[in-house]
Amino acid sequence: LEEGRRVWKDASKPIEYLGRPTYKHKFHPGTRVIKSSLIEFPEAPTGPMKIKCTALIPNYLSIGTGYGMDEDWRHGLYQGPDEVVQGKSYKVAEIAPLGQYGVVDQVGKYEYDGHVGYGLFEHAFIGAMESVGFSDGASVAAN
């Protein structure tokens, strides 16, 4: 994420450019799954802004949704000339070990300046990401 913008519920208010965010993530130990984050916008027009994000419920989108981790189910995968109908059910504990290496959508709790809201908290830490302590594609958090 390279920039942030604030969009008001009141559409008559202009969209505010908040600048480039900084972030600090806390991960569940031994995973690439975020426990919480602090997102800061030091250049916000009304002064520095801090948003605390708490992850509540993970959903591992890379498994069973066509994002590429399933052998026989990917967006745009040709499966022959006949109609193919599939359905699978997974337990979260079964898919979490692999699913954490792709897109993870979580229900998130957001806190800012005394306000609380809930929404999508999406993340993906794929490959090496030195900025969060992942030295290679298999690294997980120690904290």
Side-chain angles (χ1 to χ4, degrees):
L1 182 62
E2 293 293 324
E3 70 177 28
R5 295 180 186 267
R6 181 174 9 198
V7 179
W8 296 95
K9 185 176 182 179
D10 179 352
S12 68
K13 291 185 177 184
I15 295 173
E16 287 181 71
Y17 175 72
L18 301 176
R20 186 176 186 164
T22 62
Y23 50 87
K24 295 176 187 153
H25 301 305
K26 290 184 181 176
F27 295 88
H28 290 281
T31 76
R32 287 184 169 221
V33 179
I34 290 179
K35 182 188 283 188
S36 65
S37 296
L38 180 63
I39 312 294
E40 298 184 66
F41 295 93
E43 303 166 17
T46 56
M49 178 188 294
K50 294 181 181 184
I51 301 171
K52 180 182 176 189
C53 310
T54 304
L56 302 175
I57 302 170
N59 184 17
Y60 301 98
L61 285 186
S62 296
I63 307 292
T65 57
Y67 278 92
M69 289 191 172
D70 298 286
E71 193 173 310
D72 63 344
W73 179 251
R74 291 185 190 91
H75 296 294
L77 177 69
Y78 181 71
Q79 295 189 351
D82 298 323
E83 180 180 10
V84 176
V85 177
Q86 294 174 303
K88 295 181 182 180
S89 294
Y90 297 103
K91 293 187 184 319
V92 172
E94 292 174 341
I95 63 173
L98 180 58
Q100 69 180 320
Y101 290 94
V103 178
V104 180
D105 276 1
Q106 300 201 59
V107 174
K109 176 182 177 182
Y110 295 88
E111 299 172 78
Y112 161 71
D113 197 26
H115 301 283
V116 176
Y118 296 86
L120 177 64
F121 189 12
E122 182 176 74
H123 61 83
F125 296 97
I126 300 168
M129 293 191 72
E130 295 288 341
S131 64
V132 296
F134 299 146
S135 60
D136 59 36
S139 297
V140 293
N143 62 344

